[in-house]
Amino acid sequence: MEIGVGTYLKKINRSLIISKIIEHGKISRADLSNITKLTKATISLQVANLLGEEIIVESQQEYNHVGRKPIMLSLNAGAGYAVGVDLDYQKIIFTVSDIMGNPVYSDTLKLEKSNYDEVLQLLIDHIREYKEKYSTSRFGIVGVVIGIHGTVKSEQTIGFVPQHQWYNKDLKGDLEKKLGMNVIIENNANLCAFAEKVFNRHQSENLISISMYSGIGLGVLINGNLVKGYQGYAGEIGHMIIDPNGELCNCGNSGCWELYASEVSFFKQLSKKLNKPKLTYKDIENLIMLRDPAVMIQMEEFVSISLLV
Ligand SMILES: [Zn+2]
């Protein structure tokens, strides 16, 4: 379908207006016109449409001076929701956020299996639940983003997930077929870098973000774009070999950095030292308060090995 110039311009203006409302949180029509350099008539028409579609809402600004309180425009946070999924090794964390990115619900599921079809079914069941739960909002669940602890190719298929031993899986395609909604899959460290930009460092187009959870990942953002490298291999620093004669990693190599410096490795090594098979965050916190020598040494080692690069 061919789009006319007028329609195209309207679309661009609409995105510009929405992006400025998001950036400022609350903004008046007059300020929108000043910032975007669009005429007051254009702003007025576009804002009326956005209000009609319930994408934005009006509110009155608290104002101490005499006179009319300015009418402010902001995004209608509850108009729609998005599901974020952290598909980790032994757990899956689901977070539902409103369209402003505020988390409204979170659930952690213990994951005791690695079979792709079984994990896929778990994801489908949970996401369907949220789809139903939030169906009464204007746009319902508008999309799903899945953070993968492994390589994701440019066409959004999984290359390799070492901890589950998954190769070449089309998780996006499999989920979209069953759920009938938009699904984005991306490496979790890349998503962390992107979140840093969106939520914390709006002005920064260039940054790196290191995530240390079950593994170690690096997200790189250059000129506002994620750098993924060949087949999504950029940023796989957790599998950098620091001891060629070291422990065997599930990526197939030996002595990878994340075997010694990830959160999982910290818990594993400490469990062995203390002869306590199951350690929780609370246990560690208590032991640190008591300045337990084994924990203090382990912490020292963890910090120094984490600072290797
Ligand atoms: Zn490895």
Side-chain angles (χ1 to χ4, degrees):
M1 189 183 70
E2 218 170 279
I3 302 175
V5 176
T7 317
Y8 181 64
L9 281 178
K10 269 185 202 159
K11 269 190 148 183
I12 292 184
N13 290 344
R14 181 183 162 102
S15 327
L16 179 65
I17 290 168
I18 294 176
S19 72
K20 290 300 163 195
I21 294 174
I22 294 173
E23 195 180 314
H24 291 264
K26 280 187 176 185
I27 189 165
S28 67
R29 285 172 174 81
D31 286 343
L32 261 181
S33 175
N34 287 336
I35 290 168
T36 60
K37 309 284 179 230
L38 294 171
T39 64
K40 285 194 173 137
T42 303
I43 294 287
S44 172
L45 186 67
Q46 290 270 6
V47 163
N49 288 339
L50 292 170
L51 283 168
E53 291 168 54
E54 295 175 40
I55 293 173
I56 60 171
V57 283
E58 284 182 325
S59 60
Q60 276 200 323
Q61 193 184 38
E62 284 310 315
Y63 198 53
N64 291 330
H65 310 291
V66 184
R68 264 173 57 192
K69 290 176 182 173
I71 305 271
M72 306 300 278
L73 305 163
S74 55
L75 211 61
N76 179 10
Y81 296 86
V83 181
V85 183
D86 182 16
L87 182 50
D88 205 345
Y89 175 40
Q90 287 169 325
K91 62 183 176 197
I92 307 179
I93 305 171
F94 296 90
T95 305
V96 180
S97 308
D98 63 28
I99 54 169
M100 285 297 287
N102 305 307
V104 293
Y105 179 81
S106 189
D107 192 15
T108 301
L109 192 74
K110 225 172 150 192
L111 187 62
E112 279 155 346
K113 47 189 107 184
S114 272
N115 178 282
Y116 176 76
D117 291 327
E118 287 181 64
V119 176
L120 175 68
Q121 196 53 53
L122 269 177
L123 292 172
I124 291 168
D125 293 346
H126 274 75
I127 296 166
R128 272 195 183 137
E129 226 177 82
Y130 304 132
K131 202 177 166 185
E132 178 62 35
K133 192 171 166 189
Y134 292 90
S135 61
T136 50
S137 64
R138 180 73 168 82
F139 298 100
I141 298 286
V142 293
V144 180
V145 180
I146 318 247
I148 304 293
H149 293 234
T151 61
V152 175
K153 298 180 192 173
S154 48
E155 70 273 16
Q156 286 192 55
T157 56
I158 291 176
F160 177 40
V161 178
Q163 287 163 331
H164 291 302
Q165 289 294 301
W166 292 349
Y167 293 91
N168 302 320
K169 299 284 183 198
D170 185 12
L171 182 62
K172 173 184 166 72
D174 292 338
L175 285 171
E176 284 183 341
K177 241 181 276 164
K178 295 277 182 186
L179 296 166
M181 56 204 302
N182 287 332
V183 177
I184 293 171
I185 72 158
E186 184 52 83
N187 171 272
N188 76 308
N190 284 349
L191 288 175
C192 287
F194 190 63
E196 278 296 322
K197 173 184 155 58
V198 174
F199 293 103
N200 295 326
R201 323 238 176 272
H202 299 285
Q203 308 305 325
S204 179
E205 295 291 299
N206 303 291
L207 61 85
I208 61 166
S209 155
I210 299 177
S211 336
M212 301 176 79
Y213 299 106
S214 59
I216 302 175
L218 171 77
V220 181
L221 210 65
I222 294 180
N223 295 328
N225 298 313
L226 286 172
V227 176
K228 302 186 190 188
Y230 177 70
Q231 305 277 40
Y233 276 93
E236 284 301 318
I237 51 169
H239 296 284
M240 181 174 59
I241 297 166
I242 60 165
D243 179 6
N245 302 313
E247 288 177 50
L248 186 67
C249 179
N250 46 26
C251 75
N253 289 325
S254 293
C256 293
W257 189 34
E258 69 178 38
L259 294 177
Y260 306 93
S262 64
E263 203 178 81
V264 166
S265 70
F266 175 81
F267 275 78
K268 213 165 109 186
Q269 288 167 32
L270 200 57
S271 289
K272 218 165 153 189
K273 271 191 192 168
L274 299 174
N275 201 14
K276 229 178 146 189
K278 281 212 165 149
L279 278 173
T280 62
Y281 288 102
K282 194 77 205 152
D283 292 335
I284 307 273
E285 198 184 315
N286 291 339
L287 289 165
I288 290 174
M289 299 285 272
L290 296 169
R291 305 199 70 76
D292 179 277
V295 179
M296 300 319 280
I297 292 168
Q298 191 67 35
M299 282 293 282
E300 281 287 319
E301 282 177 9
F302 180 67
V303 172
S304 59
I305 206 154
S306 302
L307 293 173
L308 264 176
V309 285

